[in-house]
Amino acid sequence: MPLARSLSVTSLSGLEDWDEEFDLEDAVLFEIAWEVANKVGGIYTVIQTKARMTAEEWGENYFLVGPYVESNVRTQVELIEPTNPVLKSTIDKMNSSGCKIYFGRWLIEGSPYVVLIDVGFTAWSLDRWKSELWEHCGIGVPWFDREANDAVLFGFLTAWLLGEYAAQSEDSPHVVAHFHEWLAGLGLVLCRQRQLPIATVFTTHATLLGRYLCAGSVDFYNNLAKFNVDKEAGDRQIYHRYCLERAAAHCAHVFTTVSQITAIEAEHLLKRKPDIITPNGLNVKKFSAMHEFQNLHAQSKSRIQEFVRGHFYGHLDFNLDKCLFLFIAGRYEFSNKGADIFLEALARLNYLLRVNHSDVTVIAFFIMPARTNNFNVETLKGQAVRKQLWDTAQTVKERFGKKLYDSLLVGQLPDVSKMLDKEDFTIMKRAIFATQRQSQPPVCTHNMLEDSSDPILNCVRRIGLFNSSADRIKVVFIIIIFHPEFLSSTSPLLPMDYEEFVRGCHLGVARSWGFLPSRPTCQESVVLDFIVPFLLTGIYILDRRYKGVDESCNQLTSFLFQFCKQSRRQRIIQRNRTERLSDLLDWRYLGRFYIAARHMALAKAFPDTYVYEPEETASTAGFRYPRPASVPPSPALSRHSSPHHSEAEDNEEDERYDEELEAEKDRVNIRQPYSVPVKNKVSGVLGANGSGDEVPSEKN
């Protein structure tokens, strides 16, 4: 019986229904990546969030393949016996041949099946497989590159797994193997070299050589067509890695990238134009109750404020109610992740806020992993002092409350001068004296092992942001140590999960090769290197192409300064505009691009069974942005229904805000979507867009 495709976007208001069904009974999908149940970077998040949608589409015929890392398996994977008889016999045969293959469920949304390969267990075959790689593909891997050695082991074991699965199958199912990034790409190359009956898809989220070039002092975007790619890769001692990635891109039936700008990069550096753009999405969580997401923001912000009270104890000379929280998070790549431009923009923003006598204070969080030996003593002491002050306040409050209660019981108004005795004042004075310190609040929460050469700390020293009283910009560098998530609710310093922390911040900064939505609960986002202007919707864009670093810093500073000048009511309105875009970023919508890529591969690998015919882009009337369920009534027309605002904002001009009018402006300003051309089997339509759906333009 054919597996009914349960995926639908009918819940997305403003998008056309997408009700095509695909016959996937004899099709099997293997999705291979080094970051399956193994967090290294952002690809882990992409695969993790997309798994639910893909599992709903493919059902029991969807398997993720990744490396076996014991520390991750203990906390993220439930090991079970394979339910698929063909896969069970495949794993049993490989294990009996000297491999170590595990099967289980990944404990994330969708609970997909995972096949985990212990690459270290077969390290004895490394030299033999390297020789085979050189003999058949002409790619040599040096002995000292441990990451490349792991890629060789993982690639050969993956190809072995797929080949064995095809050999064990009696009915010759239509197997699709989707490989992510160069670390998994060798398995694709071997599948094609061995002529396995498998449809292959290769996705690069950012080219390897592009990462290295961007990390150096190279005018990357303006010289894409001029690079001697072989020389550049050789100079950086990554030529063997580059060859693996380029071979995978050229051998794949379908080659995809995550954005239009990455497609241009791949065309010049990998010498193949991508067949389709597969934008990354996220699982948008809708709230049924009015203002629920705003209440969650207030709760998370309150917990961040508690951390700030402890971190800046003794120097808490700013108003937390007029404090904005900014953050940047990701792998510790100083230039690639945009930390260099962000810090420079913060220094210029600090100057603007000071000369304009602004009462707004900005606290910028850097959430990145680095080598440390322990928590900073001053940081831990600050949280201890904060807790001591809270306990003191609670003690005095209880004593005060008891005296007030006794006075009211006898029918007398309390004498305020007698409510606090000498002992109470002594306790409070001791608590105040405990908060005094001579040093400035620390910039870094941990003791860095290489403090003198750390790029963020060196930049902070250069621009002089030392958290002094005169600075309107405060910097907090929070180090993450060997944890699968960026933040943890078990941390003694900031006990919050990453999503809770993001929800409590006001604005996030993300470096992106195109648009990589990885901040699902942030109020607004600043995305570097994105093209389409969405300024009014709360997404600020820096187009880094054809611009110098100084010009980009000035533009980012301008965005941040304009954001700092907004009132709380204006930020709420902007957040509602941002929410109106969330449907376009949902995997239920963007997942159709991955579906189109897989079926395009099936049509190329099995032309007798599947047909793929590109279609012309259908003209559309535009995307209608729905009014979010959580949006409050217009602040200008119904002030009592709006979230409470400060008294300082009562004197602001009473500007009228018409939600429908603003939505109409958004519909005019935002680009038209385009349709995904996909066809089904000979007997019907294969694609994700047989009815002419609308999907984001290439630059989305």
Side-chain angles (χ1 to χ4, degrees):
M1 178 179 178
L3 291 174
R5 182 181 151 290
S6 60
L7 180 63
S8 174
V9 293
T10 55
S11 62
L12 304 183
S13 304
L15 298 177
E16 294 183 5
D17 292 347
W18 188 33
D19 54 4
E20 295 296 332
E21 292 188 359
F22 306 115
D23 184 3
L24 300 177
E25 183 179 23
D26 60 345
V28 179
L29 172 61
F30 288 91
E31 191 161 7
I32 302 101
W34 186 258
E35 296 198 39
V36 169
N38 176 40
K39 184 171 182 59
V40 178
I43 301 171
Y44 171 93
T45 305
V46 173
I47 296 172
Q48 181 192 46
T49 55
K50 185 173 64 67
R52 182 183 67 179
M53 180 210 70
T54 312
E56 289 175 354
E57 180 197 358
W58 289 80
E60 298 291 307
N61 293 343
Y62 175 50
F63 305 99
L64 286 159
V65 181
Y68 177 83
V69 181
E70 186 175 356
S71 58
N72 295 333
V73 171
R74 284 201 301 264
T75 58
Q76 300 183 53
V77 178
E78 177 190 9
L79 297 178
I80 60 175
E81 286 295 319
T83 56
N84 185 309
V86 178
L87 185 60
K88 186 178 189 308
S89 60
T90 299
I91 293 176
D92 290 342
K93 186 168 183 180
M94 290 185 66
N95 285 338
S96 63
S97 301
C99 301
K100 201 72 172 179
I101 313 294
Y102 299 85
F103 184 85
R105 282 194 181 274
W106 193 2
L107 302 180
I108 57 175
E109 287 188 89
S111 301
Y113 290 126
V114 289
V115 179
L116 301 177
I117 302 174
D118 190 345
V119 296
F121 195 80
T122 53
W124 51 272
S125 301
L126 180 61
D127 290 338
R128 175 168 57 87
W129 285 342
K130 279 187 178 182
S131 299
E132 185 178 339
L133 178 62
W134 172 256
E135 180 181 347
H136 292 221
C137 304
I139 300 175
V141 178
W143 62 270
F144 55 81
D145 191 340
R146 182 173 180 178
E147 195 171 16
N149 290 337
D150 288 341
V152 171
L153 293 170
F154 186 60
F156 271 87
L157 288 168
T158 300
W160 186 354
L161 174 74
L162 295 174
E164 193 65 41
Y165 183 89
Q168 294 286 338
S169 303
E170 297 179 357
D171 301 330
S172 299
H174 299 123
V175 179
V176 182
H178 190 155
F179 298 81
H180 292 267
E181 288 294 300
W182 73 274
L183 279 165
L186 179 57
L188 186 153
V189 177
L190 294 172
C191 286
R192 297 306 303 278
Q193 186 266 326
R194 296 172 182 176
Q195 299 181 352
L196 299 179
I198 295 174
T200 58
V201 182
F202 180 67
T203 298
T204 179
H205 298 257
T207 65
L208 181 68
L209 182 57
R211 292 179 185 272
Y212 277 83
L213 290 172
C214 284
S217 55
V218 175
D219 189 3
F220 181 68
Y221 296 109
N222 296 335
N223 294 283
L224 265 177
K226 303 176 183 178
F227 288 119
N228 183 336
V229 291
D230 294 319
K231 179 180 182 301
E232 295 290 347
D235 290 345
R236 288 160 177 78
Q237 299 184 7
I238 58 165
Y239 187 69
H240 53 290
R241 298 187 182 189
Y242 168 75
C243 289
L244 291 174
E245 182 181 40
R246 184 168 171 175
H250 283 267
C251 289
H253 289 104
V254 174
F255 174 45
T256 79
T257 61
V258 296
S259 69
Q260 180 62 29
I261 197 169
T262 313
I264 298 172
E265 176 185 336
E267 186 175 359
H268 287 95
L269 300 185
L270 298 180
K271 307 304 180 183
R272 178 177 177 181
K273 184 177 181 179
D275 299 290
I276 191 171
I277 306 299
T278 52
N280 292 331
L282 45 89
N283 292 325
V284 177
K285 297 180 181 178
K286 294 295 184 180
F287 302 106
S288 56
M290 293 289 284
H291 311 310
E292 183 179 352
F293 79 107
Q294 295 174 1
N295 294 335
L296 291 174
H297 162 68
Q299 295 171 9
S300 298
K301 183 177 70 172
S302 176
R303 297 174 65 182
I304 297 176
Q305 287 176 337
E306 286 300 302
F307 167 79
V308 170
R309 289 187 178 99
H311 191 80
F312 291 91
Y313 84 92
H315 295 273
L316 201 63
D317 49 5
F318 50 88
N319 186 355
L320 279 176
D321 291 332
K322 294 186 177 181
C323 188
L324 298 179
F325 300 138
L326 279 59
F327 79 96
I328 184 172
R331 290 193 307 275
Y332 197 174
E333 298 178 9
F334 183 62
S335 298
N336 278 355
K337 293 302 179 182
D340 53 346
I341 292 182
F342 186 39
L343 277 168
E344 184 63 35
L346 288 175
R348 301 181 186 189
L349 177 63
N350 185 49
Y351 172 78
L352 290 177
L353 293 176
R354 291 175 63 176
V355 298
N356 287 277
H357 306 289
S358 174
D359 58 355
V360 172
T361 300
V362 175
I363 297 182
F365 293 92
F366 290 76
I367 313 295
M368 294 181 175
R371 298 180 59 197
T372 67
N373 56 19
N374 213 328
F375 288 104
N376 187 305
V377 174
E378 274 297 310
T379 302
L380 292 176
K381 180 182 176 182
Q383 301 306 315
V385 169
R386 178 196 60 78
K387 188 177 184 308
Q388 182 184 10
L389 281 175
W390 174 259
D391 293 340
T392 300
Q394 291 297 107
T395 301
V396 174
K397 184 178 75 171
E398 291 176 3
R399 294 162 62 97
F400 183 95
K402 186 176 184 305
K403 293 177 183 178
L404 176 62
Y405 175 67
D406 292 340
S407 177
L408 294 177
L409 278 179
V410 298
Q412 296 179 357
L413 290 175
D415 185 353
V416 179
S417 62
K418 296 181 180 179
M419 297 302 291
L420 295 176
D421 54 27
K422 188 175 182 180
E423 183 178 355
D424 294 328
F425 281 102
T426 300
I427 294 175
M428 290 187 291
K429 287 180 180 179
R430 290 177 60 184
I432 292 174
F433 290 158
T435 63
Q436 297 178 0
R437 66 175 175 186
Q438 303 300 321
S439 61
Q440 300 285 2
V443 170
C444 186
T445 58
H446 291 65
N447 296 322
M448 302 287 291
L449 287 181
E450 300 172 354
D451 180 283
S452 60
S453 59
D454 183 78
I456 287 183
L457 295 182
N458 282 339
C459 187
V460 168
R461 297 181 186 112
R462 179 180 61 82
I463 61 182
L465 288 180
F466 298 121
N467 295 337
S468 65
S469 299
D471 289 330
R472 301 267 47 87
I473 303 293
K474 316 291 184 181
V475 177
V476 181
F477 184 15
I478 301 180
I479 311 298
I480 311 303
I481 310 174
F482 303 119
H483 195 276
E485 304 294 341
F486 283 117
L487 291 173
S488 170
S489 57
T490 60
S491 170
L493 196 62
L494 184 58
M496 297 180 69
D497 289 329
Y498 178 64
E499 286 194 1
E500 294 176 330
F501 174 80
V502 172
R503 192 188 301 280
C505 289
H506 296 92
L507 186 142
V509 177
R511 174 68 179 261
S512 173
W513 280 262
F515 186 40
L516 303 177
S518 56
R519 307 290 182 264
T521 53
C522 188
Q523 296 186 61
E524 285 83 28
S525 297
V526 178
V527 185
L528 307 186
D529 297 340
F530 190 36
I531 302 172
V532 186
F534 279 130
L535 180 60
L536 294 179
T537 63
I539 301 177
Y540 300 77
I541 312 302
L542 262 70
D543 187 358
R544 293 289 311 284
R545 301 176 306 163
Y546 319 123
K547 293 181 181 178
V549 175
D550 187 68
E551 185 178 358
S552 297
C553 289
N554 285 335
Q555 188 179 5
L556 179 56
T557 303
S558 176
F559 287 156
L560 297 177
F561 185 57
Q562 293 299 322
F563 184 79
C564 291
K565 292 196 298 183
Q566 290 182 356
S567 65
R568 181 174 183 270
R569 174 166 156 259
Q570 289 172 326
R571 292 198 302 271
I572 291 174
I573 291 172
Q574 194 174 53
R575 183 165 67 248
N576 293 329
R577 289 172 173 171
T578 307
E579 184 189 5
R580 199 156 45 236
L581 293 174
S582 62
D583 285 342
L584 286 179
L585 307 180
D586 198 306
W587 273 122
R588 293 173 297 166
Y589 181 49
L590 295 180
R592 60 180 65 185
F593 294 95
Y594 278 87
I595 294 174
R598 291 192 289 263
H599 286 81
M600 186 189 301
L602 281 170
K604 291 184 177 182
F606 309 105
D608 295 335
T609 309
Y610 294 90
V611 176
Y612 180 86
E613 296 179 1
E615 294 181 352
E616 295 294 330
T617 302
S619 59
T620 65
F623 175 80
R624 178 172 178 80
Y625 286 85
R627 179 187 179 95
S630 55
V631 66
S634 172
L637 302 179
S638 180
R639 190 172 292 275
H640 291 292
S641 298
S642 302
H644 179 69
H645 59 283
S646 64
E647 295 180 358
E649 295 175 355
D650 285 336
N651 297 327
E652 295 180 355
E653 65 277 8
D654 188 16
E655 56 184 16
R656 296 180 63 83
Y657 174 73
D658 189 328
E659 180 71 27
E660 294 300 327
L661 179 61
E662 293 297 329
E664 182 63 31
K665 291 179 181 179
D666 292 342
R667 289 192 289 272
V668 173
N669 291 332
I670 296 177
R671 290 178 178 270
Q672 305 286 336
Y674 74 95
S675 58
V676 180
V678 185
K679 287 293 182 181
N680 200 1
K681 289 189 174 184
V682 174
S683 59
V685 178
L686 170 71
N689 197 21
S691 57
D693 304 349
E694 300 174 11
V695 286
S697 68
E698 290 183 348
K699 292 186 178 181
N700 279 5

